[in-house]
Amino acid sequence: MFAYKPKSLLLSLPKHISNSQIFLVNSNSQLSPPLSSLPPRPSIPQTKQAHAQIIVSGLAADSSLISHLLCFLALCPSTPFHYSLSLYQSIKYPSVFATNNMIRCFAKSDSPPQSLLLFSSMLRTCVKPNNHTFTFLLQACSRALALNEGAQVHTVAVKLGFGGYVFVRNALIHLYCSCSRIECSKRLFEENASSRDVVTWNSMLTAFVRDEQIGAAEKLFEEMPERDVISWSTMISGYVQNGRLEEGLECFKQMREKGMRLNEATLVSVLSASAQLGLHEHGRLVHSLVESLNFPLTVSLGTALIDMYAKCGCIEQSKLLFKNMPKKDIWTWNVMICGLASHGLGKEALALFQRFIDEGFHPVNVTFIGVLGACSRAGLVSEGRRHFKLMTEKYSILPEMEHYGCMVDMLGRAGFLDEAVQLIEKMTVPPDPVLWATLLGACKIHGSIELGEKIGKKLLKLDPTHDGHYVQLASIYAKARKWEDVIRVRRLLVEQNTNKAAGWSLIEAQGTVHKFVAGDREHERSLEIYKMLEKFGTRIAESGYSPNVSSVLHDIGEEEKENAIKEHSERLAMAFGLLVTGAGDCIRIVKNLRVCEDCHEVSKIISKVFEREIIVRDGSRFHHFKDGKCSCLDYW
């Protein structure tokens, strides 16, 4: 039997194991009347009522009844620790059954290491442990990330002959997984192939997923002789957490085709994938499943729905859900604040933040990313300065790169370039290239040639392979009509063989995601899409549109530049959207990069001449185009 030799205590996020459905009540035992009327998993008030009946009946000294009360408390999701302890201490000679349940209560409490002290006391009083004892002890060690202590428990379990019990092996696999000892988990899993149940497989699957070994997880998942809802949920979660969103959604589709029941963890993971991809139709489908299956609107599920609708452009639906949620935690508020910020609703985001404070919540770093982002996108400079000061001075939150990024973007857009430079120079951490690039973009907006040139040269030294820096610097020179410098930077761009980020746009239609890149002709309806582009051109020209080709840095003629802009990915997605949606339907597009100036102007005109609302989520924020206007008010 493999036993890990303790070396050090490693930290990792704990994850609860319990799917073994361990019930410590002896199936042959007959419960006395005060307990016989209780359901299998009574609530704490029901357990206390039964306790009161025991006392009134003069049976308070009956150790068997008190032990069973402890068992009921150990099975509760949240155990009242002090009440459990008082019950245990009232038993004159605790049995292994009573002690196991108290160990389990300790394991679920805020002081899981107390389980080990109780176990030591148990051995001193000559009460013999059983396999359940070690299962709960190992759960306590997993919660406390107590690798050394867990390894000692492992050794004792092996010596006493309990190492081969499947529940104990499952708890051991989970322990080593929690403490980032994946190889130890794997050795235990492989040690005895005949002593495995579905929980064993799930524990190993979880170990691979948490260690980001998705390939190993996929292989194990395929080999599983039996899969339950936890197996599917773990695999879906693994895909989503590792950015393989489409595969996560495909796995969810297969899960439903197999007729598996859904759990909350699955739904939260799938909502997260839908949110990140901006798949409104899919997100709505999941929401309808939540309602049809009568899932309670828990904090986790409600927060995931709010996030999904916000990231799919339906901020009003997010606000309605937020308002109707029976219970909210700090992350619910953070998601709503960040959602309002991404839609440019700065004043609403600040008002919500004030409510958040008034309700007694303490902000964290993510809260202020939302708040400062809201100020940046809405141009609320004085409010941004005030909240940045509030964050550092009142709440003692050290600014991170994201906070500085929001402030530099806010100050730069508003024209406070010198103040932005001073902020960067006073940073407690070295500024990254993204921060300087943000300021370079502001220099382009405000025509600050000298500062832009200085920052541009700095960026070319810091990150010479990023094409965007050359583009920004060349644009600044072009705006100042310094054509020789434009040519010089363009040559550098070619010579450096830079890594150009491929721009793409997604649009969801009839349950399928369609992805376009600039000049894309691979789509099955490509001919129709390009005919629609021609129709675009005619209609927007009649509205007085004149192309802005400043974003095209290729050394080609003006006509070729205009043609290149016409085939940008979001325009192809927009054309396809007009083909496949009904009259008056909203068109939703997700971009990985910021929308260019020309496409922004074209989108406004198309929303008017085709009488459609167009919602674009670009790499920075949402743009709601309607009746020839954009929600950003051209401040982007």
Side-chain angles (χ1 to χ4, degrees):
M1 174 71 182
F2 158 71
Y4 173 77
K5 294 180 180 179
K7 290 182 180 178
S8 62
L9 180 65
L10 297 185
L11 296 182
S12 174
L13 291 174
K15 191 169 182 179
H16 206 273
I17 190 173
S18 66
N19 283 298
S20 55
Q21 298 298 314
I22 301 171
F23 292 92
L24 298 186
V25 179
N26 189 328
S27 59
N28 296 321
S29 64
Q30 295 295 319
L31 297 181
S32 62
L35 300 181
S36 58
S37 60
L38 287 175
R41 285 178 175 260
S43 65
I44 291 171
Q46 287 173 326
T47 305
K48 287 184 174 181
Q49 286 174 7
H51 186 196
Q53 289 178 28
I54 289 170
I55 294 170
V56 169
S57 303
L59 301 171
D62 188 325
S63 60
S64 176
L65 289 176
I66 302 302
S67 296
H68 278 91
L69 283 176
L70 266 176
C71 177
F72 290 135
L73 290 172
L75 293 171
C76 288
S78 57
T79 303
F81 171 69
H82 292 291
Y83 177 51
S84 305
L85 185 59
S86 67
L87 282 177
Y88 181 73
Q89 289 173 338
S90 72
I91 302 172
K92 191 172 183 180
Y93 299 108
S95 64
V96 64
F97 175 63
T99 305
N100 281 350
N101 281 301
M102 193 62 232
I103 287 173
R104 193 177 192 185
C105 289
F106 272 128
K108 293 165 64 179
S109 74
D110 293 331
S111 305
Q114 294 292 326
S115 296
L116 296 167
L117 296 177
L118 183 56
F119 177 62
S120 297
S121 173
M122 176 186 189
L123 295 178
R124 286 196 300 271
T125 56
C126 299
V127 177
K128 288 184 65 176
N130 60 20
N131 58 320
H132 296 306
T133 311
F134 290 100
T135 302
F136 301 141
L137 276 173
L138 290 166
Q139 287 181 4
C141 292
S142 295
R143 280 205 65 207
L145 303 171
L147 179 61
N148 287 337
E149 292 81 352
Q152 291 170 35
V153 172
H154 186 176
T155 303
V156 175
V158 172
K159 285 181 178 178
L160 295 180
F162 296 113
Y165 281 82
V166 67
F167 291 164
V168 176
R169 289 168 57 79
N170 294 346
L172 283 166
I173 291 171
H174 175 67
L175 165 71
Y176 291 123
C177 164
S178 298
C179 296
S180 300
R181 288 290 190 264
I182 307 302
E183 286 307 311
C184 296
S185 294
K186 190 175 178 182
R187 284 170 65 185
L188 274 162
F189 178 79
E190 294 173 346
E191 189 176 67
N192 189 348
S194 62
S195 180
R196 295 175 184 163
D197 63 5
V198 69
V199 180
T200 317
W201 287 86
N202 285 343
S203 297
M204 196 63 237
L205 188 67
T206 301
F208 283 136
V209 164
R210 292 181 64 185
D211 199 46
E212 300 182 0
Q213 296 186 38
I214 298 301
E218 287 176 317
K219 185 174 182 295
L220 190 74
F221 186 73
E222 291 300 321
E223 293 172 354
M224 290 181 73
E226 176 190 356
R227 299 172 189 156
D228 62 7
V229 63
I230 303 299
S231 318
W232 287 94
S233 181
T234 301
M235 202 65 236
I236 292 168
S237 174
Y239 280 129
V240 174
Q241 289 173 15
N242 285 273
R244 294 166 61 170
L245 307 175
E246 292 90 344
E247 288 165 280
L249 295 181
E250 178 60 30
C251 191
F252 175 66
K253 180 183 175 184
Q254 292 174 18
M255 179 185 182
R256 292 188 64 211
E257 288 172 352
K258 296 283 185 184
M260 299 295 299
R261 68 181 179 87
L262 303 177
N263 64 6
E264 184 177 307
T266 308
L267 294 167
V268 169
S269 292
V270 173
L271 284 168
S272 175
S274 302
Q276 291 178 64
L277 289 169
L279 304 182
H280 177 243
E281 287 181 25
H282 197 277
R284 275 177 44 191
L285 167 67
V286 178
H287 191 181
S288 68
L289 287 172
V290 170
E291 293 178 332
S292 64
L293 296 172
N294 293 317
F295 272 89
L297 195 63
T298 61
V299 172
S300 296
L301 199 50
T303 302
L305 282 166
I306 290 168
D307 187 48
M308 181 275 293
Y309 279 115
K311 287 178 178 171
C312 291
C314 303
I315 194 64
E316 292 302 322
Q317 182 66 32
S318 289
K319 289 196 280 187
L320 183 62
L321 276 164
F322 182 83
K323 179 183 176 182
N324 293 332
M325 269 186 70
K327 185 179 179 182
K328 309 176 185 77
D329 67 5
I330 184 173
W331 303 113
T332 315
W333 288 84
N334 285 342
V335 162
M336 194 67 246
I337 290 168
C338 291
L340 292 168
S342 68
H343 285 266
L345 301 172
K347 290 183 178 178
E348 283 190 51
L350 294 182
L352 189 64
F353 173 70
Q354 189 55 53
R355 279 180 53 200
F356 169 86
I357 297 298
D358 293 343
E359 298 224 2
F361 287 98
H362 193 285
V364 293
N365 58 354
V366 175
T367 316
F368 279 102
I369 289 173
V371 169
L372 297 176
C375 294
S376 171
R377 293 184 182 97
L380 304 173
V381 179
S382 60
E383 289 290 342
R385 290 183 184 126
R386 184 172 72 82
H387 283 90
F388 187 74
K389 187 176 180 181
L390 188 74
M391 176 182 79
T392 55
E393 294 183 3
K394 181 173 181 179
Y395 295 105
S396 302
I397 297 174
L398 290 175
E400 297 179 4
M401 202 63 69
E402 292 88 345
H403 301 110
Y404 284 117
C406 292
M407 288 298 292
V408 169
D409 187 55
M410 179 192 74
L411 293 169
R413 286 181 187 280
F416 296 97
L417 301 178
D418 291 338
E419 187 178 344
V421 171
Q422 289 171 16
L423 180 66
I424 292 175
E425 290 173 345
K426 291 178 182 177
M427 282 174 58
T428 55
V429 291
D432 65 7
V434 175
L435 212 55
W436 288 114
T438 300
L439 191 53
L440 182 62
C443 290
K444 177 189 172 185
I445 293 170
H446 297 286
S448 182
I449 310 304
E450 187 178 340
L451 180 59
E453 186 175 24
K454 182 180 175 182
I455 293 171
K457 289 178 179 177
K458 182 190 289 287
L459 274 169
L460 298 190
K461 287 182 181 179
L462 286 172
D463 193 3
T465 62
H466 193 290
D467 73 297
H469 307 329
Y470 296 88
V471 172
Q472 289 276 49
L473 183 57
S475 297
I476 287 173
Y477 283 135
K479 197 168 184 179
R481 308 185 71 80
K482 299 176 74 170
W483 304 116
E484 289 183 5
D485 289 317
V486 172
I487 293 169
R488 178 176 55 81
V489 173
R490 284 177 176 174
R491 283 175 181 164
L492 282 173
L493 177 64
V494 174
E495 291 168 5
Q496 286 292 336
N497 192 24
T498 60
N499 300 319
K500 181 172 176 58
W504 49 256
S505 295
L506 297 179
I507 182 169
E508 186 183 19
Q510 299 163 344
T512 303
V513 179
H514 302 262
K515 187 173 185 177
F516 296 92
V517 295
D520 199 333
R521 295 180 187 273
E522 298 297 318
H523 197 277
E524 60 184 15
R525 298 185 67 175
S526 185
L527 287 175
E528 295 173 84
I529 289 169
Y530 276 87
K531 282 183 181 178
M532 180 60 76
L533 284 183
E534 290 177 15
K535 188 175 180 181
F536 275 7
T538 303
R539 296 286 296 273
I540 63 179
E542 291 170 356
S543 299
Y545 161 73
S546 177
N548 179 347
V549 296
S550 61
S551 63
V552 181
L553 285 186
H554 303 297
D555 193 13
I556 54 178
E558 290 298 307
E559 185 176 346
E560 290 175 281
K561 289 182 179 181
E562 289 178 19
N563 288 332
I565 280 184
K566 287 177 185 176
E567 298 179 2
H568 276 188
S569 64
E570 58 264 52
R571 296 201 201 183
L572 296 174
M574 213 178 298
F576 177 70
L578 284 171
L579 288 172
V580 298
T581 58
D585 287 352
C586 177
I587 296 173
R588 301 171 189 276
I589 296 168
V590 177
K591 275 183 61 65
N592 65 326
L593 303 176
R594 283 194 179 191
V595 63
C596 76
E597 291 178 38
D598 190 70
C599 287
H600 189 268
E601 187 61 29
V602 165
S603 299
K604 288 196 295 184
I605 298 171
I606 288 174
S607 73
K608 184 176 182 179
V609 298
F610 287 89
E611 298 180 342
R612 293 291 194 97
E613 181 179 8
I614 302 167
I615 299 176
V616 177
R617 188 182 93 186
D618 72 7
S620 174
R621 61 173 298 156
F622 275 93
H623 300 268
H624 293 252
F625 300 100
K626 192 173 182 181
D627 299 327
K629 297 176 183 177
C630 179
S631 60
C632 73
L633 303 177
D634 297 337
Y635 191 82
W636 55 283

